[in-house]
């Protein structure tokens, strides 16, 4: 089942000619999720051909570079005769401000928009095979991060073993795989654990939004396949990162290391580094053994199963 991330905007608070403000698009089996919607997000959706069928928007905090794209995006959805509801998840205490953005200039969207306030540990959204959890971040605004965490998948079904045990190919196979014991014609009972392996972990993506390093980021998901972390600054401005409630690339890498992340995407680059971002990668690689990268707007990433 494909799980794809598209980086719509990777800039910090001020966009550059190369980078849009924050926006992360995630597509999973026909379902489309958006994490933050900085100014210009709708044009990024068009440029990168993702489509507009977003059902859930997860807002990390209400700084302009994460939400000013909402009014334009909703207006275009309305122009396109959207009828499907949109859920917007956002930190506790932001409903009133968010509503004023949703109904900007008195324009109410023609489709239902539901605002869901969330805090640390809440399941913001529960889908069939995964959930999106909110977790605490440390920023100079009411803020949360989000983790998309898939459920464990069934263990592998050992066909050869089942046939050896005399199970006839057919419905008994699916029963066993679904966890039920089956009785054979000669009266033998075959149990699922004889032919089905251990449950296999699903995939997970953690997105911090703007934050200082926090332990909640480490704890929200077990060894995430992808951690998308605030890396606004490099070491040269570590004091600035602390003061403005952001992280350095090195700090992001330390969190990735402790979380056991597979890959680390460094996000929210300060416009001070436009055109010379080498230090971020170098410094992150000094502490993190996994794959580190600095996504450009439009970069796409397929997340494969850990056991694939
Ligand atoms: Zn920001
Ligand atoms: Zn911010």
């Amino acid at each position: 089942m494909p799980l794809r991330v598209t980086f719509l905007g990777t800039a910090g608070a001020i966009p550059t000619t190369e980078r849009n403000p924050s926006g992360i698009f995630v597509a999973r089996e026909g379902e489309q999720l958006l994490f933050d919607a900085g100014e210009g997000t709708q044009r990024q959706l068009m440029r990168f051909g993702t489509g507009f069928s977003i059902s859930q928007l997860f807002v990390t905090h209400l700084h302009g570079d994460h939400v000013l794209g909402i009014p334009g995006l909703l207006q275009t959805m309305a122009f396109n005769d959207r009828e499907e509801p949109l859920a917007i998840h956002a930190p506790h205490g932001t409903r009133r401000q968010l509503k004023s953005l949703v109904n900007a200039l008195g324009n109410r969207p023609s489709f239902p928009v539901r605002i869901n306030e969330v805090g640390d540990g809440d399941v913001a959204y529960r889908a069939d095979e995964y959930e999106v959890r909110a977790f605490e971040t440390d920023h100079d605004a009411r803020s949360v991060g989000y983790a998309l965490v898939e459920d464990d998948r069934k263990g592998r079904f050992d066909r050869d073993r089942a046939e050896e045990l005399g199970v006839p190919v057919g419905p008994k196979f699916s029963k066993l795989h679904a966890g039920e014991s089956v009785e054979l014609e000669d009266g033998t009972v075959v149990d699922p654990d004889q032919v089905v392996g251990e449950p296999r972990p699903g995939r997970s993506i953690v997105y911090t939004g703007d934050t200082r390093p926090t332990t909640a980021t480490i704890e929200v998901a077990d060894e995430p396949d992808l951690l998308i972390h605030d890396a606004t600054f490099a070491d040269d401005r570590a004091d600035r990162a602390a003061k403005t409630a952001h992280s350095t690339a090195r700090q992001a890498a330390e969190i990735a290391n402790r979380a056991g992340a597979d890959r680390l995407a460094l996000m929210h680059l300060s416009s001070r580094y436009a055109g010379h971002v080498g230090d971020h990668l170098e410094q992150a690689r000094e502490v993190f053994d996994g794959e580190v990268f600095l996504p450009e707007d439009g970069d796409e990433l397929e997340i494969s199963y850990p056991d694939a």
Side-chain angles (χ1 to χ4, degrees), residues 61 63 65-66 139-141 210 246 268:
H61 65 295
H63 283 161
D65 56 316
H66 297 254
H139 193 47
D140 56 1
D210 295 0
H246 287 291
H268 201 268

Side-chain angles (χ1 to χ4, degrees), residues 31 125-132 151:
E31 196 168 23
Y125 175 57
R126 174 74 219 171
D128 265 357
E129 295 175 330
Y130 69 92
E131 62 188 27
V132 178
D151 301 344

Side-chain angles (χ1 to χ4, degrees), residues 31-307:
E31 196 168 23
Q32 300 189 348
L33 315 175
L34 179 61
F35 295 82
D36 284 335
E39 181 189 345
T41 290
Q42 60 166 329
R43 282 196 72 241
Q44 301 295 79
L45 294 171
M46 294 172 193
R47 281 178 75 190
F48 308 130
T50 58
F52 270 69
S53 308
I54 294 150
S55 63
Q56 315 286 326
L57 165 58
F58 300 90
V59 172
T60 57
H61 65 295
L62 267 61
H63 283 161
D65 56 316
H66 297 254
V67 293
L68 286 178
I70 293 176
L73 175 64
L74 267 53
Q75 185 172 307
T76 297
M77 285 173 164
F79 281 145
N80 289 334
D81 297 326
R82 179 183 172 119
E83 291 176 357
E84 296 75 28
L86 174 71
I88 305 181
H89 312 273
H92 280 299
T94 61
R95 182 186 302 275
R96 202 174 46 82
Q97 285 169 289
L98 199 52
K99 247 186 167 164
S100 70
L101 262 182
V102 167
N103 302 327
L105 310 173
N107 298 310
R108 286 178 81 91
S110 53
F111 51 94
V113 176
R114 179 174 68 88
I115 295 171
N116 176 36
E117 291 191 331
V118 293
D120 183 41
D122 288 346
V123 173
Y125 175 57
R126 174 74 219 171
D128 265 357
E129 295 175 330
Y130 69 92
E131 62 188 27
V132 178
R133 303 170 184 165
F135 63 94
E136 188 177 29
T137 51
D138 178 11
H139 193 47
D140 56 1
R142 295 168 191 273
S143 67
V144 292
Y146 294 99
L148 186 160
V149 181
E150 290 184 337
D151 301 344
D152 282 350
R153 292 166 301 143
K154 285 185 223 168
R156 261 183 229 290
F157 186 75
D158 188 341
R159 287 181 73 93
D160 294 345
R161 179 78 187 123
E163 286 184 41
E164 260 170 44
L165 291 166
V167 183
V169 178
K172 287 201 167 70
F173 271 37
S174 358
K175 274 199 174 166
L176 281 163
H177 203 187
E180 288 176 55
S181 302
V182 299
E183 193 179 333
L184 307 182
E185 281 189 4
D186 64 1
T188 322
V189 172
V190 178
D191 294 319
D193 60 5
Q194 292 176 270
V195 291
V196 181
E198 290 292 310
R200 292 167 294 163
R203 299 162 291 189
S204 52
I205 301 169
V206 177
Y207 170 53
T208 60
D210 295 0
T211 188
R212 296 187 181 97
T214 70
T215 50
T217 307
I218 297 160
E219 286 157 8
V220 69
D222 193 26
E223 303 185 344
D225 298 276
L226 173 65
L227 170 61
I228 305 168
H229 202 290
D230 178 330
T232 307
F233 298 103
D235 286 351
D236 60 326
R237 296 187 186 274
D239 54 336
R240 182 103 188 110
K243 201 183 285 172
T244 57
H246 287 291
S247 298
T248 62
R250 182 184 300 277
Q251 288 171 326
E254 279 159 6
I255 294 293
N257 227 359
R258 290 169 61 196
D262 203 33
R263 288 194 269 193
L264 170 64
L266 301 172
M267 267 281 293
H268 201 268
L269 240 60
S270 165
S271 56
R272 294 165 190 273
Y273 300 101
H276 55 99
V277 293
D279 292 351
H280 283 69
L281 281 176
E282 243 165 61
Q283 290 162 8
R285 283 181 184 137
E286 279 172 26
V287 285
F288 180 58
D289 301 333
E291 188 188 332
V292 191
F293 61 103
L294 256 164
E296 307 273 335
D297 290 11
D299 280 359
E300 281 186 359
L301 200 60
E302 288 288 343
I303 312 290
S304 48
Y305 289 105
D307 58 334

